[in-house]
């Protein structure tokens, strides 16, 4: 699936990482807490790097609901992060493959 | 409702953290407190259920999950079961070192143990590391499917996998391939064969908002309906819940690692924090006994500590 330029997993030292790609428009975050992605719908500009951080005591994953998945994290333990740069406008649904009732959306426009 | 079922329902106040199951004619029955159960002569096939050992979890309220698994296993050994079921979430993150610890602790009991995976065991390589280690020698219903069946003392045991390939927005799932296998597997068994079905996530909807159920369980239960005695054993929710529907008795076991909140009583289903001194009151094991000629499976839940 096109539309994503790059992705990295579990970068705890986000602040000292170089930009994932040249021209990244900025960083936005999604927090996982109480088995919920917050915000459930995140709207960003093209080129934004979205970082998920798991604040739960239970591991979660971030998996695109496209087939095949456009992005897929490994299991994120407490305080682990996962990031994806979204380049193209569109709607990107995702869920936690361990707790499939957990869902979120990234709107790129 | 027959007398047996009424008796079962009257016994639905469980007594502890361990689960002691007696299959006698097919429906589970609560024997009583651990001491009572231990004092009874072995009536038939007695087996244990442990669940949700979450080796690798080391946070509030339990920083020693190997220690509480060991305590649970000590309880099981003292009950002298013929075998043991582990209903999943053996590990917390499917890591080899976590599987190692569980395998060593459980193996040291010398008790024949049958495993099915929880979602925490299925995190790597589509579950293959779990199947290779914990389902060695089983006749897999599909290659690396994580589900299988076996027979013991006239009881047909079916281990199902409802943690693979979950769909966005859904709950647990069995999938068409596993349901087709289940139909074939059961076809060779008469209605009077007692069935014990074990799977990680409950096969009935406990609480949809937390994903505590299995999307396609109704199709599986339809295949079980013709049998006179069906016992469904689950884990996942880290607390004891029980219900009877027709000939099917459902029971969930406690975790050996940490409790979870009752459905809907917390913002989410994360670990329930309890005072350190109270942790072992809310962890436990189960024991079940099947007695030929009787129609109920006796279940005893035993806590790790009072």
């Amino acid at each position: 699936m096109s539309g994503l330029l790059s992705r990295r997993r579990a970068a705890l030292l986000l602040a000292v990482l170089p930009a994932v790609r040249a021209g990244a428009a900025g960083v936005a975050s999604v927090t996982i807490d109480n088995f919920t992605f917050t915000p459930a719908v995140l709207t960003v500009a093209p080129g934004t790097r979205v970082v998920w951080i798991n604040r739960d005591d239970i591991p979660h994953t971030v998996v695109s609901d496209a087939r095949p998945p456009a992005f897929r994290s490994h299991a994120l333990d407490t305080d682990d992060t996962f990031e994806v740069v979204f380049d193209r406008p569109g709607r990107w649904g995702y869920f936690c493959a361990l707790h499939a009732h957990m869902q979120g959306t990234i709107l790129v426009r | 409702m027959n007398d047996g079922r009424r008796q079962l329902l009257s016994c639905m106040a469980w007594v502890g953290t361990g689960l002691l199951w007696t299959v006698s004619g097919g429906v589970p029955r609560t024997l009583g407190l651990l001491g009572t159960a231990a004092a009874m002569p072995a009536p038939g096939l007695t087996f244990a259920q442990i669940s949700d050992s979450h080796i690798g979890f080391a946070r509030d309220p339990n920083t020693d999950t190997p220690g509480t698994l060991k305590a649970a296993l000590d309880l099981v050994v003292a009950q002298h079961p013929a075998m043991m079921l582990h209903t999943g979430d053996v590990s917390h993150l499917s890591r080899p070192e976590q599987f190692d610890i569980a395998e060593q602790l459980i193996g040291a009991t010398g008790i024949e143990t049958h495993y099915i995976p929880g979602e925490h065991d299925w995190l790597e390589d589509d579950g293959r590391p779990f199947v290779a280690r914990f389902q060695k020698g089983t006749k897999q219903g599909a290659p690396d499917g994580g589900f299988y069946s076996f027979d013991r003392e006239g009881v047909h045991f079916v281990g199902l996998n409802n943690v693979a390939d979950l769909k966005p927005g859904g709950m647990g799932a069995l999938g068409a391939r596993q349901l087709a296998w289940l139909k074939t597997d059961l076809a060779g068994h008469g209605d009077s064969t007692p069935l014990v079905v074990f799977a990680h996530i409950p096969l009935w909807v406990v609480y949809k908002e937390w994903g505590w159920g299995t999307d396609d369980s109704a199709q599986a239960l339809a295949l079980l309906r013709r049998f006179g005695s069906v016992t469904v054993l689950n884990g996942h929710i880290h607390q004891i819940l029980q219900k009877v529907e027709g000939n099917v008795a459902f029971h969930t076991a406690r975790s050996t690692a940490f409790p979870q909140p009752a459905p809907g009583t917390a913002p989410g289903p994360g670990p329930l924090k309890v005072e350190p001194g109270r942790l072992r009151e809310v962890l436990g094991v189960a024991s079940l006994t099947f007695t030929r000629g009787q129609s109920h499976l006796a279940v005893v839940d035993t806590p790790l500590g009072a």
Side-chain angles (χ1 to χ4, degrees), chain A residues 78-102:
Chain A
T78 304
D79 294 335
D80 279 357
T81 63
F82 171 70
E83 57 187 61
V84 176
V85 174
F86 290 86
D87 276 341
R88 293 196 187 176
R91 181 185 186 91
W92 305 92
Y94 65 91
F95 72 117
C96 168
L98 279 82
H99 313 99
H101 65 287
M102 295 170 55

Side-chain angles (χ1 to χ4, degrees), chain B residues 122-163:
Chain B
W122 209 257
L123 292 172
E124 299 296 333
D125 196 18
D126 292 325
R128 286 183 193 89
F130 179 87
V131 172
R133 190 191 290 247
F134 293 108
Q135 295 186 340
K136 257 183 313 216
T138 61
K139 189 180 171 196
Q140 290 283 300
D144 291 322
F147 51 95
Y148 60 99
S149 67
F150 63 96
D151 294 284
R152 192 70 187 263
E153 307 288 332
V155 180
H156 188 57
F157 288 84
V158 181
L160 298 178
N161 176 4
N162 56 4
V163 302

Side-chain angles (χ1 to χ4, degrees), chain B residues 55-290:
Chain B
I55 298 299
F57 179 88
R59 297 176 182 279
D60 190 13
N62 187 355
T63 55
D64 182 19
T65 48
T68 49
L69 173 59
K70 175 69 166 58
L73 293 169
D74 288 346
L75 264 181
V76 169
V77 167
Q79 295 171 349
H80 305 293
M83 61 172 201
M84 176 160 58
L85 306 179
H86 193 307
T87 44
D89 284 355
V90 173
S91 72
H92 197 56
L93 285 165
S94 301
R95 290 183 180 153
E97 65 272 20
Q98 298 170 356
F99 285 162
D100 283 345
I101 291 169
E103 188 174 33
Q104 286 162 17
L105 287 171
I106 294 168
T109 66
I111 299 171
E112 170 191 326
T113 305
H114 301 269
Y115 298 82
I116 46 91
E119 72 279 5
H120 289 255
D121 301 317
W122 209 257
L123 292 172
E124 299 296 333
D125 196 18
D126 292 325
R128 286 183 193 89
F130 179 87
V131 172
R133 190 191 290 247
F134 293 108
Q135 295 186 340
K136 257 183 313 216
T138 61
K139 189 180 171 196
Q140 290 283 300
D144 291 322
F147 51 95
Y148 60 99
S149 67
F150 63 96
D151 294 284
R152 192 70 187 263
E153 307 288 332
V155 180
H156 188 57
F157 288 84
V158 181
L160 298 178
N161 176 4
N162 56 4
V163 302
D165 197 24
L166 303 186
K167 302 293 183 290
M171 302 187 286
L174 296 164
R177 179 180 71 162
Q178 188 167 200
L179 287 166
W181 168 82
L182 179 63
K183 186 176 183 182
T184 305
D185 179 77
L186 295 175
H189 296 273
D191 299 354
S192 61
T193 305
L195 294 185
V196 172
V197 178
F198 59 112
H200 179 66
I201 299 175
L203 289 172
W204 86 97
V205 179
V206 172
Y207 193 60
K208 190 173 177 25
E209 289 75 4
W210 287 355
W212 287 2
T214 301
D215 284 326
D216 47 5
S217 62
Q219 294 170 68
L221 296 174
L223 297 170
L224 305 176
R225 200 155 288 139
R226 70 179 171 89
F227 292 89
S229 162
V230 182
T231 303
V232 176
L233 304 178
N234 300 123
H236 186 62
I237 65 172
H238 298 214
Q239 62 196 288
I240 300 169
L241 285 181
Q242 192 162 293
K243 86 162 186 165
V244 176
E245 192 175 293
N247 291 332
V248 184
F250 299 85
H251 194 292
T252 62
R254 282 179 169 143
S255 164
T256 72
F258 56 84
Q260 283 178 275
T265 61
L272 189 63
K273 313 291 195 254
V274 295
E275 295 166 23
R278 288 202 56 233
L279 178 65
R280 291 186 179 214
E281 297 172 23
V282 289
L283 307 179
V285 303
S287 175
L288 303 92
T289 302
F290 172 76

